[in-house]
Amino acid sequence: MNVSGRVVSILVLVTIMGACGTALAAESPSGSPSPVPALKWAPATFDTFTDKVFLTVELHGSLLNDVEDRRPMSDSFGYDVKAGWRWKTLGVFFVFEQNMWVTSQFELGVTQGVANIGLGLEVNYLGGYARTSVAIGPSILLFDTAIDEAGNTGFFLDVRPIGMRWPINRFFAITLDPMSFAIVAPALDRIPLVMIQFRTTLGFEFVM
């Protein structure tokens, strides 16, 4: 092959290499293969908890109680389940709870306490991270006392001045009520059975 033939071959090779480089650059502006985007965790916001049905399961305890004329009854603890609908700032819910009582008349023990059933209203603020709620309804005595029989029915009132909510993702959140106020009064005739409780409540909420 003479000199002119070699020059032509080199020019053809350079042209092919240039065309390949242009095609690769068109696929990736930086000239290198595009990296696969990494998955990123996006913090949840309260927006995903509005205009939906919500369900909350909570545990509560109270070491600060005042029982009118029933000194053997003191501390209490229990659980509750709430189901409701929430708009942007307002929410309504149905609540069922069992509030068990620690007694110490003859020896330390735990009674079935009461079953509380009620309707409630909540107000959400601070971007949904804080809320205030109130619930009211009947309170049913679940055990016999020296004065009252199981099945006696009175009322209960649950007031939570400020509670907190931390969304974990779009569907789940942890809730905390550091201090709430409850009146549990399952027996109002003869000697009233009225317990005033200062509760701390921890819960888990999810939306559907």
Side-chain angles (χ1 to χ4, degrees):
M1 182 180 295
N2 54 25
V3 176
S4 60
R6 292 179 180 177
V7 171
V8 171
S9 298
I10 292 172
L11 291 176
V12 171
L13 182 61
V14 170
T15 302
I16 294 173
M17 293 177 64
C20 292
T22 302
L24 291 174
E27 294 180 1
S28 176
S30 61
S32 59
S34 300
V36 177
L39 294 176
K40 295 183 178 180
W41 177 79
T45 64
F46 183 64
D47 291 339
T48 61
F49 286 76
T50 60
D51 297 324
K52 292 180 180 179
V53 174
F54 68 90
L55 181 67
T56 307
V57 179
E58 298 177 317
L59 298 174
H60 66 260
S62 175
L63 299 178
L64 299 174
N65 296 326
D66 184 15
V67 186
E68 294 297 329
D69 299 320
R70 305 293 180 96
R71 297 305 173 194
M73 300 176 188
S74 55
D75 304 332
S76 66
F77 63 95
Y79 65 90
D80 69 70
V81 178
K82 294 178 181 177
W85 178 271
R86 180 181 297 121
W87 294 273
K88 291 296 182 181
T89 56
L90 293 178
V92 294
F93 59 86
F94 167 84
V95 59
F96 169 83
E97 75 167 40
Q98 183 178 3
N99 182 226
M100 290 168 277
W101 298 350
V102 178
T103 61
S104 58
Q105 185 172 8
F106 301 108
E107 61 181 8
L108 191 64
V110 177
T111 70
Q112 292 298 309
V114 296
N116 299 324
I117 305 170
L119 296 175
L121 175 70
E122 69 171 22
V123 179
N124 300 281
Y125 45 94
L126 296 181
Y129 289 96
R131 72 187 189 283
T132 297
S133 67
V134 60
I136 189 170
S139 179
I140 305 168
L141 190 64
L142 298 179
F143 70 105
D144 293 330
T145 71
I147 302 174
D148 309 299
E149 296 181 354
N152 260 21
T153 302
F155 77 95
F156 91 100
L157 173 67
D158 181 22
V159 179
R160 305 189 183 188
I162 181 168
M164 292 170 281
R165 179 189 293 108
W166 292 279
I168 301 174
N169 58 29
R170 294 175 56 198
F171 304 102
F172 299 94
I174 295 174
T175 63
L176 174 65
D177 293 274
M179 183 63 70
S180 62
F181 171 78
I183 299 176
V184 180
L188 299 175
D189 54 353
R190 292 181 287 183
I191 301 176
L193 175 53
V194 180
M195 179 179 284
I196 299 174
Q197 303 174 345
F198 298 91
R199 299 177 175 179
T200 298
T201 306
L202 179 66
F204 190 64
E205 177 184 298
F206 68 93
V207 295
M208 296 177 283

